[in-house]
Amino acid sequence: MELELSAEDLAFRDEVRAFLAARLTPELAQAGRRMTSVFCDKIHSLAWQRILHAQGWAAPSWPVEYGGPGWTEMQRHVFAAECARAGAPGLAPMGLRMVAPAIMAFGAPAQKAHYLPRILSGEDYWCQGYSEPGAGSDLAALSLRAERDGDDYVLTGSKIWTTHAHWANRMFCLVRTATQGRPQAGITFLLIDMDNPRISIKPIVTLAGEHEVNQVFFDEARTPVVDRLGEENQGWAVAKHLLTFERGGGYAPGLEAALERLRTSAGLEAGDETERLLDDPHHRRRLAEAQIATLAIDISERRVLSALAAGGGPGPASSLLKLQGSEALQRLDELATDTLGPYVAPHQPQARAAGSNLSPIGPEHGLTTMARYLNNRAASIYGGSSEIQRDIIARQILGL
């Protein structure tokens, strides 16, 4: 595994930096800086996606045949690192990084021809219908019923914690089509049109005071059988394939950007016994520990990149990276709240909204600190909780 960038990769890095300097507008950069979770507001996410799509860079991991740029694994890593470094807003992952690979792997030719171009352009904006009330992190415990009626399925039940369902026009969804045998054996994967009078959405306001997630209700909502991905009762295989993309890699660039923000904050805030918090030995030790953890994650991700470049897959390493990355993110959030001191407390969602002209209470660099901390508490739950990741690691890596 080569850790240093080659001459070609350095040239590519310079190309990406020049593109970001020219095309990342101040408005989009502000939206990126003020993101408080992995999701950016739809208006800014799609605006940045259109710019990247025009450049051919909207889907770095897609094969060329579907509109991807044909980059190497290292080029994808460099691109992600430079976007994080520049503060570019994140693209909505539900379509580009999650359901698209599932459609490529399991979709019929007509489904690929219809959905993939619309995902790439942003014409279709997706949400994920997995979690259900009372099911916790156990996807096999889902109960949203889908009963076959001619050329349609009739859906009855609900999904919860559905990110951006209020903005999405499509949902990829796990439904219960059979109750015999193992719970996983009766699950089907559907692609659902959200413009349906029998589908209703109830907002859930988070601890950070933001409307990002929802509960979605299906009241005998009909969806065509042709929008099933894979075979009936075989949706568990599709879901497992998709989860490797939801859980896998990509944490290191964001963690490094967060570390840089922390160093900047520590250079501006006063310590208890030092002029700058950055000069406090205890705080410097915590920053060093966070940097070591981030470096370890970066090396693990590069090992996965090497395996992918050799034609392999992420496999159970995706669970390892999900576990390490999400928990490291939470530790950085805790360090950020300690850095800001009393100015972490004010609740000011209007001031941190992109484009707001309201003056923040406290320093500008601390405007999103508490909202990030609160939103990222879910990082060790979504995509499979840390307990589930440890179980996968114990069984599939350690052989326990």
Side-chain angles (χ1 to χ4, degrees), residues 188-261:
T188 298
F189 196 106
L190 298 180
L191 309 175
I192 296 172
D193 186 349
M194 295 291 284
D195 184 16
N196 187 319
R198 292 285 186 169
I199 298 176
S200 58
I201 299 169
K202 179 181 179 181
I204 299 173
V205 178
T206 67
L207 284 173
E210 298 174 338
H211 176 199
E212 183 175 275
V213 295
N214 308 269
Q215 186 168 5
V216 182
F217 298 90
F218 301 83
D219 181 17
E220 297 185 349
R222 304 181 77 90
T223 193
V225 173
V226 295
D227 280 338
R228 182 185 67 214
L229 194 62
E231 298 300 318
E232 184 170 294
N233 298 326
Q234 299 299 312
W236 190 249
V238 184
K240 287 197 299 182
H241 179 81
L242 187 149
L243 280 172
T244 64
F245 292 90
E246 182 178 2
R247 293 171 179 165
Y251 280 95
L255 292 172
E256 289 166 359
L259 261 174
E260 188 58 36
R261 289 195 301 269

Side-chain angles (χ1 to χ4, degrees), residues 110-127:
Q111 290 174 319
K112 296 177 185 179
H114 175 74
Y115 286 115
L116 294 178
R118 294 168 64 92
I119 293 172
L120 193 60
S121 68
E123 185 175 356
D124 280 346
Y125 192 86
W126 291 76
C127 62

Side-chain angles (χ1 to χ4, degrees), residues 35-341:
M35 286 177 60
T36 57
S37 75
V38 295
F39 291 89
C40 185
D41 282 355
K42 179 181 179 181
I43 185 173
H44 301 112
S45 175
L46 287 184
W48 183 230
Q49 183 172 336
R50 284 191 289 270
I51 293 171
L52 292 175
H53 182 44
Q55 182 75 7
W57 291 1
S61 61
W62 285 27
V64 173
E65 63 186 287
Y66 296 124
W71 290 343
T72 65
E73 297 295 338
M74 183 54 70
Q75 285 175 320
R76 296 170 195 165
H77 180 78
V78 168
F79 179 72
E82 292 304 318
C83 285
R85 174 179 168 273
L91 301 188
M94 300 299 191
L96 289 166
R97 287 169 40 198
M98 295 170 66
V99 75
I103 292 172
M104 291 175 196
F106 295 91
Q111 290 174 319
K112 296 177 185 179
H114 175 74
Y115 286 115
L116 294 178
R118 294 168 64 92
I119 293 172
L120 193 60
S121 68
E123 185 175 356
D124 280 346
Y125 192 86
W126 291 76
C127 62
Q128 179 189 49
Y130 274 22
S131 298
E132 293 188 6
S137 295
D138 184 4
L139 287 181
L142 63 86
S143 60
L144 171 62
R145 299 196 314 275
E147 298 179 353
R148 184 74 177 263
D149 183 18
D151 293 332
D152 291 337
Y153 288 108
V154 181
L155 278 59
T156 304
S158 71
K159 295 291 181 178
I160 201 167
W161 314 123
T162 314
T163 304
H164 286 192
H166 54 304
W167 284 330
N169 67 314
R170 305 291 310 187
M171 172 191 281
F172 60 92
C173 187
L174 294 178
V175 299
R176 173 70 58 192
T177 45
T179 57
Q180 299 80 24
R182 296 176 65 244
Q184 294 88 340
I187 292 174
T188 298
F189 196 106
L190 298 180
L191 309 175
I192 296 172
D193 186 349
M194 295 291 284
D195 184 16
N196 187 319
R198 292 285 186 169
I199 298 176
S200 58
I201 299 169
K202 179 181 179 181
I204 299 173
V205 178
T206 67
L207 284 173
E210 298 174 338
H211 176 199
E212 183 175 275
V213 295
N214 308 269
Q215 186 168 5
V216 182
F217 298 90
F218 301 83
D219 181 17
E220 297 185 349
R222 304 181 77 90
T223 193
V225 173
V226 295
D227 280 338
R228 182 185 67 214
L229 194 62
E231 298 300 318
E232 184 170 294
N233 298 326
Q234 299 299 312
W236 190 249
V238 184
K240 287 197 299 182
H241 179 81
L242 187 149
L243 280 172
T244 64
F245 292 90
E246 182 178 2
R247 293 171 179 165
Y251 280 95
L255 292 172
E256 289 166 359
L259 261 174
E260 188 58 36
R261 289 195 301 269
L262 280 174
R263 292 190 189 97
T264 300
S265 297
L268 297 171
E269 299 295 325
D272 291 337
E273 299 179 1
T274 57
E275 184 175 343
R276 299 187 312 161
L277 188 57
L278 191 59
D279 298 324
D280 179 272
H282 175 65
H283 195 79
R284 289 174 66 87
R285 178 181 60 79
R286 294 179 69 189
L287 284 172
E289 290 171 348
Q291 185 171 4
I292 291 168
T294 299
L295 179 61
I297 291 168
D298 182 51
I299 292 174
S300 294
E301 289 182 354
R302 292 184 185 227
R303 286 176 175 157
V304 171
L305 292 178
S306 296
L308 292 171
S318 62
S319 289
L320 181 65
L321 291 172
K322 168 63 169 62
L323 175 66
Q324 290 181 321
S326 59
E327 295 189 352
L329 178 64
Q330 291 175 342
R331 289 193 293 271
L332 288 180
D333 289 333
E334 292 169 2
L335 184 54
T337 61
D338 292 346
T339 300
L340 202 59

